[in-house]
């Protein structure tokens, strides 16, 4: 980064914003201020165009036809696998399995690796800040296998206690499944350190990368995680497509998940042999269009550069934090030393939902509620929070609009 | 005191809302209604009376006297509570069959329909269903007694 960065970043910002058609919408006659990016990000024009180009020009089923359309579609679909491989630093493209999203990725691991390796008395370790989709699949598995689900506690700052974490690890621990970035608090967890500690007791580690993939540089080989799951729709790609990464030797030894077409080599009524990785886990006609558009989105991010995006988002985080803290009665939930550009907060005596409704009337989209982390909300003794989460296209001016909206809402509600 | 028909009360509310020319006025009025609705005694805030939304909670209690159903309710969010207050104003004190027939079009007329949408998940829709369930239960009870 150079000294002229502050100038060039401003210029870039306008250029970036102009690529997101939805940002010129108005809500209740006011310009949309979209601060719900942790729920899903908006899509750039190039991603939208990729979808219509696919359906308008080369829609075909993949991996089976010999005609031109099928070949073009197959090539485009498989190109995404290489881009995704690079995006998270996987060793090979076979380790990239397309899923519907983080939730399906986690469930795939629970229903295949989990069923094979978890037995009575084994322990699965998750954290107190997990999204429901990284709680419920393990709960189901533990019930089925009489295994034990253990939880790493969350500190008042919204961090995981590494001391307690290490004390919970033992030879009984078979799996640690943790979120890299909390969707409710913004906390960046020290997953590398956690993975090393887990491996030391022989446990496997799944990293929920739903929130981290868009903000942080991901290198699954450096992390040495065994599984990594993320969702396309949070990285500027369409909904309905995600990636599950798994170490090759693990994926190869795991049982199959869904049975059907694509995932087989040969089928007879007596016996079926299964396809190689990654197709073994991609039964049926996949989500071709959205997979192709995932590549466009990942390229879009890489062309701008994660470092540039991160710098801008960190500025937004710092600015929003200072501005919000100046509001009387407002308390930020989640004060971890390392955070992504997301601020969760509550206001004394006011229900988060009331704030959300009034902000919506001002054209400001925030998320209110428990953010699918009910146990975490219980830990903090609150029904939910208001959450403002920022993406590459958000501006300081939008934060000013949020702050003004907060003052107005609090005044109306007090 | 003679009981005003449900439709008449709805009409009054619609007329009141027609006077507001900004969303702020509208919401300030609803917030005010929410604040003025008497809080429900803690003894009523039990699981049985709870209508759980995704974000906010509504508590609803009903009583049946002289052929009429009376409602009391509360919520932990004030805008929902204001809407709850209007529902009570419209439905409380009426005969079960009147409550069951009520279409509650006023909610749409005053532009508050979005608050009943599934996405708002605030328990308001469930509250209306529950109010009607009470009415149906009392109606059935009445029918049995009259036999
Ligand atoms: C931390 C975290 N994990 C998992 C998920 C689930 O992702 P999806 O709904 O895309 O499967 C989310 C989405 O909100 C999330 O934020």
């Amino acid at each position: 980064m150079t000294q002229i960065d502050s100038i060039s970043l401003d210029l870039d910002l306008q250029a970036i914003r102009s690529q997101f058609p939805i940002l010129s919408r108005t809500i209740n006659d006011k310009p949309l201020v979209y601060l719900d990016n942790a729920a899903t990000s908006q899509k750039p024009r190039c991603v939208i165009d990729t979808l219509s180009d696919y359906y308008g020009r080369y829609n075909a089923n993949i991996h089976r036809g010999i005609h031109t359309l099928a070949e073009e579609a197959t090539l485009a679909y498989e190109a995404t696998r290489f881009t995704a491989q690079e995006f998270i630093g996987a060793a090979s493209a076979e380790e990239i399995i397309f899923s519907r999203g983080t939730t399906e990725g986690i469930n795939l691991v629970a229903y295949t690796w989990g069923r094979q390796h978890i037995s009575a008395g084994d322990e699965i370790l998750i954290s107190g800040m997990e999204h429901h989709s990284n709680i419920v699949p393990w709960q189901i598995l533990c019930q089925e296998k009489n295994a034990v689900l253990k939880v790493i506690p969350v500190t008042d700052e919204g961090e995981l206690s590494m001391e307690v974490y290490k004390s919970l690890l033992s030879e009984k621990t078979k799996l640690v499944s943790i979120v890299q970035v909390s969707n409710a608090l913004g906390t960046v967890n020290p997953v590398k350190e956690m993975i090393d500690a887990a491996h030391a007791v022989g446990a496997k580690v799944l990293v929920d990368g739903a929130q981290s993939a868009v903000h942080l540089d991901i290198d699954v080989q450096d992390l040495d995680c065994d599984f990594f799951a993320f969702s396309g729709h949070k990285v500027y790609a369409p909904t309905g497509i995600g990636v599950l990464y798994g170490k090759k030797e693990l994926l190869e030894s795991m049982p199959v998940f869904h049975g059907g077409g694509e995932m087989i080599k040969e089928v007879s009524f007596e016996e079926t042999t299964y396809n190689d990785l990654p197709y073994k886990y991609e039964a049926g006609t996949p989500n071709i269009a959205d997979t192709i558009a995932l590549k466009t989105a990942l390229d879009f991010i890489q062309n701008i550069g994660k470092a540039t995006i991160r710098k801008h988002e960190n500025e937004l985080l710092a600015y929003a934090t200072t501005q919000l803290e100046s509001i009387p009665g407002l308390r930020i939930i989640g004060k971890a030393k390392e955070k992504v550009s997301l601020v969760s907060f509550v206001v004394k005596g006011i229900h988060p939902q009331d704030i959300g409704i009034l902000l919506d009337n001002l054209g400001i989209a925030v998320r209110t509620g428990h953010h699918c982390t009910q146990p975490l909300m219980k830990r903090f003794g609150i029904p939910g929070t208001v959450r403002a989460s920022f993406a590459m296209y958000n501006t300081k001016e939008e934060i000013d609009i949020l702050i003004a909206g907060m003052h107005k809402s609090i005044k109306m509600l007090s | 005191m003679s009981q005003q028909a449900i439709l008449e009360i709805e009409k009054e509310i619609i007329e009141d809302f027609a006077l507001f020319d900004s969303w702020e006025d509208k919401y300030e009025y609803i917030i005010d209604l929410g604040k003025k609705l008497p809080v429900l005694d803690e003894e009523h805030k039990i699981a049985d009376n709870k209508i759980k939304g995704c974000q906010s909670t509504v508590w609803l209690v009903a009583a049946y006297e002289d052929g009429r159903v009376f409602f009391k309710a509360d919520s932990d969010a004030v805008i929902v509570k204001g809407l709850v207050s209007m529902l009570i104003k419209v439905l409380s004190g009426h005969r079960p069959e009147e409550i069951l027939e009520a279409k509650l079009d006023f909610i749409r007329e005053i532009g508050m329909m979005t608050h009943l949408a599934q996405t708002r998940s605030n328990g308001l829709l469930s509250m209306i269903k529950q109010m009607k369930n009470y009415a149906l239960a009392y109606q059935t009870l009445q029918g049995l007694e009259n036999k």
Side-chain angles (χ1 to χ4, degrees):
Chain A
M1 305 293 113
T2 61
Q3 310 87 293
I4 59 156
D5 224 56
S6 56
I7 306 164
S8 64
L9 207 60
D10 275 356
L11 293 176
D12 280 351
L13 201 49
Q14 279 322 308
I16 285 170
R17 288 184 67 82
S18 69
Q19 296 185 58
F20 289 82
I22 211 169
L23 296 180
S24 51
R25 248 201 88 162
T26 55
I27 304 286
N28 299 317
D29 298 325
K30 294 163 194 88
L32 166 68
V33 174
Y34 187 76
L35 304 178
D36 194 15
N37 295 284
T40 198
S41 55
Q42 296 304 344
K43 318 305 172 200
R45 168 60 68 198
C46 56
V47 167
I48 301 167
D49 286 348
T50 301
L51 292 174
S52 76
D53 184 45
Y54 166 73
Y55 285 119
R57 227 166 42 78
Y58 60 102
N59 169 51
N61 211 327
I62 55 167
H63 296 144
R64 18 195 129 166
I66 50 148
H67 52 81
T68 306
L69 297 187
E71 194 176 311
E72 286 178 11
T74 304
L75 283 176
Y77 178 86
E78 288 303 327
T80 301
R81 211 183 295 278
F82 291 105
T83 304
Q85 177 199 343
E86 254 174 55
F87 191 77
I88 61 167
S92 88
E94 296 161 301
E95 299 178 317
I96 302 296
I97 292 162
F98 292 128
S99 66
R100 275 196 298 138
T102 309
T103 304
E104 192 178 57
I106 296 172
N107 275 280
L108 189 154
V109 177
Y111 278 93
T112 59
W113 182 89
R115 279 205 172 143
Q116 188 180 36
H117 286 95
I118 300 296
S119 43
D122 285 347
E123 292 177 1
I124 294 175
L125 207 48
I126 59 172
S127 86
M129 60 172 84
E130 296 310 321
H131 188 278
H132 294 163
S133 65
N134 196 26
I135 301 175
V136 185
W138 308 120
Q139 237 161 15
I140 294 171
L141 180 65
C142 286
Q143 271 160 16
E144 189 181 307
K145 300 284 187 180
N146 265 318
V148 185
L149 192 64
K150 292 208 161 173
V151 183
I152 312 158
V154 177
T155 66
D156 290 342
E157 263 57 56
E159 296 179 328
L160 295 180
S161 157
M162 282 305 106
E163 225 163 280
V164 182
Y165 167 59
K166 284 170 186 164
S167 74
L168 286 170
L169 286 170
S170 74
E171 71 282 3
K172 282 194 202 152
T173 316
K174 289 292 170 319
L175 177 76
V176 176
S177 194
I178 33 154
V179 72
Q180 186 168 17
V181 166
S182 159
N183 65 309
L185 306 171
T187 311
V188 179
N189 288 317
V191 287
K192 191 168 158 63
E193 181 188 342
M194 296 177 79
I195 292 164
D196 288 345
H199 284 167
V201 298
K204 300 288 183 233
V205 182
L206 183 150
V207 174
D208 172 349
Q211 295 295 333
S212 60
V214 72
H215 297 294
L216 310 180
D217 275 318
I218 308 293
D219 185 335
V220 289
Q221 289 185 79
D222 178 55
L223 288 177
D224 198 26
C225 55
D226 299 284
F227 300 103
F228 185 94
F230 73 97
S231 302
H233 70 94
K234 295 186 204 271
V235 296
Y236 307 102
T239 50
I241 178 64
V243 167
L244 172 70
Y245 158 84
K247 281 183 183 163
K248 190 175 168 188
E249 65 273 18
L250 274 171
L251 293 176
E252 269 172 347
S253 67
M254 278 158 44
V256 294
F257 185 34
H258 292 150
E262 285 274 301
M263 55 80 72
I264 49 90
K265 261 201 182 108
E266 268 177 82
V267 177
S268 72
F269 287 118
E270 291 70 40
E271 192 193 22
T272 293
T273 51
Y274 301 121
N275 205 339
D276 298 326
L277 287 178
Y279 311 111
K280 173 181 167 187
Y281 290 109
E282 293 177 10
T285 299
N287 183 353
I288 305 165
D290 296 317
T291 306
I292 295 172
L294 174 62
K295 176 178 164 49
T296 312
L298 298 182
D299 287 342
F300 176 79
I301 294 175
Q302 300 296 45
N303 284 339
I304 297 164
K306 271 194 175 170
T308 310
I309 297 171
R310 183 97 206 265
K311 180 172 176 280
H312 171 63
E313 289 178 346
N314 281 347
E315 282 168 14
L316 293 178
L317 172 67
Y319 185 65
T321 305
T322 318
Q323 294 300 308
L324 284 166
E325 271 175 338
S326 72
I327 296 175
L330 186 145
R331 178 161 69 102
I332 291 180
I333 305 292
K335 296 190 160 187
K337 281 184 282 303
E338 231 197 298
K339 279 177 73 168
V340 298
S341 53
L342 176 169
V343 193
S344 240
F345 54 89
V346 291
V347 180
K348 198 163 189 271
I350 299 181
H351 196 285
Q353 189 185 33
D354 290 323
I355 293 174
I357 291 172
L358 297 185
L359 290 181
D360 177 51
N361 277 284
L362 292 162
I364 306 166
V366 293
R367 181 71 167 269
T368 64
H370 54 62
H371 317 296
C372 297
T373 57
Q374 285 180 353
L376 183 65
M377 296 297 115
K378 205 169 161 199
R379 150 75 182 79
F380 283 100
I382 48 179
T385 71
V386 181
R387 181 188 70 186
S389 51
F390 312 108
M392 61 162 88
Y393 42 68
N394 288 122
T395 65
K396 284 192 177 167
E397 290 70 37
E398 289 181 307
I399 293 172
D400 291 336
I401 295 173
L402 168 69
I403 301 299
M406 283 301 300
H407 281 295
K408 181 168 180 144
S409 304
I410 292 170
K411 192 161 161 242
M412 283 176 74
L413 291 161
S414 309
Chain B
M1 186 188 82
S2 76
Q3 195 65 45
Q4 222 180 346
I6 287 180
L7 269 177
E8 271 172 47
I9 307 172
E10 288 193 40
K11 203 168 141 235
E12 271 179 22
I13 293 177
I14 295 166
E15 282 164 5
D16 282 348
F17 269 75
L19 300 175
F20 301 135
D21 42 24
S22 71
W23 70 270
E24 285 96 334
D25 289 350
K26 213 161 48 171
Y27 275 91
E28 261 159 9
Y29 178 76
I30 295 168
I31 291 165
D32 197 46
L33 284 179
K35 285 183 183 156
K36 284 187 183 142
L37 186 70
V39 288
L40 206 56
D41 293 334
E42 283 304 315
E43 61 178 296
H44 290 306
K45 290 189 179 174
I46 51 171
D48 277 353
N49 295 331
K50 206 162 158 172
I51 298 166
K52 191 92 184 81
C54 188
Q55 299 199 10
S56 52
T57 302
V58 172
W59 293 270
L60 174 71
V61 284
Y64 192 50
E65 275 167 41
D66 301 331
R68 293 175 189 277
V69 189
F70 293 88
F71 295 109
K72 280 197 280 189
D74 205 343
S75 172
D76 55 352
V78 74
I79 294 174
V80 171
K81 202 169 157 181
L83 296 168
V84 159
S85 165
M86 282 195 270
L87 282 169
I88 290 182
K89 186 174 171 195
V90 171
L91 292 180
S92 191
H94 294 279
R95 297 182 189 288
E97 52 276 17
E98 293 168 331
I99 295 169
L100 285 168
E101 274 168 21
K103 299 253 190 319
L104 304 173
D105 286 332
F106 80 100
I107 301 169
R108 187 191 311 277
E109 298 272 339
I110 64 172
M112 289 293 135
M113 204 57 196
T114 54
H115 293 291
L116 292 190
Q118 285 297 328
T119 51
R120 295 287 181 180
S121 307
N122 50 28
L124 214 59
L125 201 61
S126 316
M127 170 168 166
I128 295 173
K129 276 192 198 133
Q130 190 58 23
M131 289 171 118
K132 294 208 170 200
N133 280 343
Y134 272 121
L136 188 64
Y138 290 130
Q139 192 184 39
T140 313
L141 206 66
Q142 182 83 65
L144 290 176
E145 277 169 9
N146 289 348
K147 268 193 189 147

